[in-house]
Amino acid sequence: MSETVTKIMLVDDHPLVRDGLRARLEAVPTFAIVAEAGSAEEALQRAEQQPIDLILMDINLRGSINGIDLTARFHVDFPEIAVLILSMHDKTEYLMQSVQAGARGYVLKDAPGKDIVHAIETVISGGMYYSAALAQKLARPMTPGQLLTARERQVLQHISNGESNKQIARELDLSVRTVETHRLNIKRKLEIEGQAELIKFAVENNFR
């Protein structure tokens, strides 16, 4: 009886990085790289076109949506797809934001190939996988503000000033839809629902 093949999509804005990952992972008989993308738009399009079991997701992507925000989008729109962050960033805030967004694991790009393979196998089996050094950081308490990305903190600063989505979009050179997405992600991460409560949080935590 043949083993089940895991269908993987590589999401990274550097083609050379994707080439290296593809070569490394396709050496595993049970892995198949079925799609690649360098931006959030491309990744979402690929996911609609064919079945995917797991995404290896970089944080830095082309366009206005980063890998963490895209992970949150996949968590909602494609909950059957597991997301494993593969990043050069080892900062606690990125790790925590990824967990909050629904990532099933976080591995550093300089990890040995066998660790990446093990991470994929663990996640596909229903588990969670974090590099040893990163796993220790998960136990450390963080302030709510540390869960936000740099862009989300910028948006929150403008929200605290009472600016509309349209005004914020103009100030940050973003689309209104992108600002709306950031606003929703901020509320989700901070577990805040109302506008007044969001502004109150921003003021009390010196986001002005």
Side-chain angles (χ1 to χ4, degrees):
M1 183 176 179
S2 61
E3 294 182 86
T4 301
V5 174
T6 298
K7 294 178 286 295
I8 300 171
M9 174 161 66
L10 306 178
V11 181
D12 193 295
D13 63 346
H14 290 96
L16 288 177
V17 172
R18 298 201 303 268
D19 289 346
L21 283 171
R22 189 190 320 110
R24 178 183 297 178
L25 298 178
E26 285 186 338
V28 181
T30 55
F31 292 171
I33 308 304
V34 299
E36 297 183 22
S39 68
E41 293 75 17
E42 289 177 354
L44 291 167
Q45 184 179 42
R46 301 290 185 275
E48 291 175 350
Q49 293 172 341
Q50 63 188 104
I52 294 169
D53 299 315
L54 179 140
I55 296 173
L56 269 182
M57 179 84 73
D58 188 20
I59 290 178
N60 299 320
L61 300 175
R62 295 196 307 267
S64 59
I65 302 177
N66 64 34
I68 295 175
D69 292 336
L70 181 57
T71 296
R73 177 76 177 272
F74 267 97
H75 190 59
V76 173
D77 295 350
F78 301 93
E80 72 282 3
I81 300 178
V83 177
L84 175 62
I85 300 293
L86 181 63
S87 173
M88 58 183 280
H89 300 293
D90 63 353
K91 293 182 179 179
T92 304
E93 64 181 278
Y94 288 114
L95 173 60
M96 292 301 296
Q97 289 162 14
S98 298
V99 173
Q100 287 286 320
R104 300 296 304 276
Y106 194 117
V107 186
L108 296 177
K109 282 187 175 180
D110 60 2
K114 62 181 179 60
D115 286 2
I116 297 176
V117 170
H118 181 51
I120 293 173
E121 292 174 339
T122 299
V123 169
I124 284 297
S125 298
M128 307 281 284
Y129 184 96
Y130 301 97
S131 296
L134 296 174
Q136 294 177 357
K137 296 183 178 183
L138 281 173
R140 301 174 187 173
M142 294 185 69
T143 64
Q146 287 178 294
L147 295 173
L148 305 180
T149 64
R151 178 64 83 183
E152 287 168 349
R153 287 195 289 271
Q154 280 184 315
V155 171
L156 185 55
Q157 287 176 334
H158 287 275
I159 290 174
S160 70
N161 293 328
E163 297 179 31
S164 66
N165 287 345
K166 190 173 182 179
Q167 290 173 313
I168 297 172
R170 186 169 56 248
E171 288 288 333
L172 299 181
D173 193 26
L174 300 172
S175 69
V176 174
R177 184 174 179 179
T178 297
V179 174
E180 290 173 350
T181 298
H182 284 313
R183 186 187 288 264
L184 289 173
N185 285 336
I186 291 168
K187 289 182 177 181
R188 174 180 55 78
K189 290 179 180 180
L190 300 180
E191 298 181 352
I192 290 174
E193 294 184 4
Q195 174 72 2
E197 189 180 357
L198 188 60
I199 294 177
K200 180 173 181 286
F201 173 88
V203 173
E204 289 180 348
N205 288 274
N206 299 314
F207 276 91
R208 305 195 74 168

